[in-house]
Amino acid sequence: MPGAIYAEGLVKTFGDVRALDGVDLDVPEGTVLGLLGPNGAGKTTTVRCLTTLLRPDRGSAVVAGIDVLKHPDAVRRSIGLSGQFAAVDEYLTGRENLQMVGQLYQMKAKAAKVRAAELLEQFHLADAADRPAKTYSGGMRRRLDLAAALVVSPPVMFMDEPTTGLDPRNRQQLWEVIKQLVSGGTTLLLTTQYLEEADHLAHDIAVVDHGRVIARGTSDELKARTGGERVEVVVHEREHIATASEVLSAFGRGQGEVAVEEHMRKLTVPVTGGAKLLAEVIRELDTRGIEIDDIGLRRPTLDDVFLSLTGHVAEVKDEENGAASAKQGGEQDTKQSGKDTVK
């Protein structure tokens, strides 16, 4: 039995660009799947296909038990969507934006008003509730957009990089809101570029690159595949980089290569052994007469994961490059219609 979100073989092209190249997903009910990848990996295109905003060229998808291609209107009534950019009416107040969304979902005016007040409190927007949205900061608009996606408490939610533009305090508040939603039974597909965010929120993570799911597992499982830990050293003198690289290679895990950032005099290598190994590295560097400015153990970053899984550092590019007219013209129409039909 497929999960609350299920996709098989999704393909989507924009001109010569293959944004999706056979994406398969299965998200059990009441869980969070973190769709992790750099800009251009295919995350947003996947979300748009699953939320009926784009039609895939090939493949199938079922959301909340409903076939996305056959019954798109029914899917829209069963989901909430917060897109990558805040889609709010800047001439309406925060309260009016939320009440409008409620009434578009055919809530009675009184119920929409009550729900709007609840969400304004929940997202710490009550003090600005009666100000036009155009006076809001970027972070406030983002929170208002997220609140709009939750007006009807949908069983399935899609959040496309929801914490973009939020400061650390607001990010933590949003994480708490998401945890509350999921504890209440909501299924969530969350796209993000931040491993830390996936750490906090996702039961499972799918790593996407070049339109394909290249790995799946928990955060710890993915980190284990990239070495689990990194020794990071900053040498004092640039001429010591080669010798330090030789030392670190001897301590590296498996075939883990030493990554060198010459302009920062920084070397990084995947290892196992924790603090005990770190002490050995320090002794060996000292024996070789290499003075260091800094050394430490750290957990893998997104680039570490991608370097291990794909052999290249995460690339930052536009996943719909080459389809500018579809993105620049169609995207604005899609976001406006999305605000009315999907949230």
Side-chain angles (χ1 to χ4, degrees), residues 27-41:
V27 188
E29 185 175 344
T31 67
V32 180
L33 174 68
L35 205 58
L36 185 68
N39 290 335

Side-chain angles (χ1 to χ4, degrees), residues 206-227:
V207 181
V208 182
D209 192 31
H210 296 302
R212 297 181 179 182
V213 176
I214 59 173
R216 182 155 181 177
T218 66
S219 177
D220 286 342
E221 287 169 348
L222 292 176
K223 289 176 182 179
R225 292 178 63 173
T226 66

Side-chain angles (χ1 to χ4, degrees), residues 240-258:
H240 287 156
I241 288 177
T243 307
S245 179
E246 181 184 332
V247 170
L248 291 179
S249 293
F251 289 95
R253 169 186 171 273
Q255 301 299 314
E257 295 183 2
V258 179

Side-chain angles (χ1 to χ4, degrees), residues 304-343:
D304 295 327
V305 173
F306 269 78
L307 187 60
S308 173
L309 294 173
T310 70
H312 65 82
V313 176
E315 300 171 4
V316 179
K317 63 182 181 179
D318 188 342
E319 70 193 53
E320 294 175 16
N321 183 28
S325 61
K327 181 169 184 177
Q328 294 171 0
E331 179 178 297
Q332 294 303 317
D333 294 339
T334 295
K335 287 191 176 297
Q336 279 302 123
S337 65
K339 180 173 64 177
D340 292 344
T341 60
V342 178
K343 285 185 179 171

Side-chain angles (χ1 to χ4, degrees), residues 17 26 66 106 134 166 200 204 211 221 257 261 283 314 329:
V17 177
D26 192 356
I66 306 165
Q106 301 182 343
K134 66 181 179 181
L166 296 184
H200 278 78
D204 208 8
E221 287 169 348
E257 295 183 2
E261 299 175 60
R283 282 195 296 270

Side-chain angles (χ1 to χ4, degrees), residues 50-206:
L50 292 173
T51 57
T52 77
L53 299 181
L54 282 176
R55 187 177 181 88
D57 300 325
R58 291 206 304 273
S60 61
V62 175
V63 173
I66 306 165
D67 190 297
V68 171
L69 299 181
K70 293 180 180 178
H71 306 290
D73 289 342
V75 170
R76 292 172 190 148
R77 288 191 291 268
S78 302
I79 64 175
L81 167 65
S82 178
Q84 203 169 79
F85 304 98
V88 298
D89 190 320
E90 63 179 14
Y91 293 102
L92 297 179
T93 67
R95 191 186 309 277
E96 289 167 344
N97 264 283
L98 297 183
Q99 289 179 193
M100 176 187 70
V101 172
Q103 290 178 300
L104 286 169
Y105 270 106
Q106 301 182 343
M107 293 175 67
K108 292 185 177 179
K110 184 176 181 181
K113 184 176 181 179
V114 170
R115 182 59 177 155
E118 292 173 350
L119 289 167
L120 289 164
E121 287 288 346
Q122 187 175 17
F123 282 86
H124 305 277
L125 291 169
D127 291 344
D130 298 310
R131 283 168 37 196
K134 66 181 179 181
T135 68
Y136 285 16
S137 67
M140 292 171 69
R141 289 190 186 203
R142 191 69 179 134
R143 282 182 281 151
L144 181 62
D145 181 70
L146 291 166
L150 299 175
V151 167
V152 293
S153 302
V156 178
M157 274 289 303
F158 295 85
M159 292 186 177
D160 193 5
E161 299 189 18
T163 60
T164 299
L166 296 184
D167 60 34
R169 182 172 66 90
N170 286 320
R171 181 174 294 174
Q172 290 284 346
Q173 289 171 349
L174 177 59
W175 288 351
E176 289 305 313
V177 170
I178 291 173
K179 289 177 181 177
Q180 291 170 16
L181 280 173
V182 176
S183 67
T186 298
T187 304
L188 173 64
L189 189 149
L190 168 81
T191 78
T192 181
Q193 297 181 60
Y194 307 118
L195 195 56
E196 179 193 12
E197 188 156 274
D199 267 337
H200 278 78
L201 300 173
H203 297 92
D204 208 8
I205 297 170

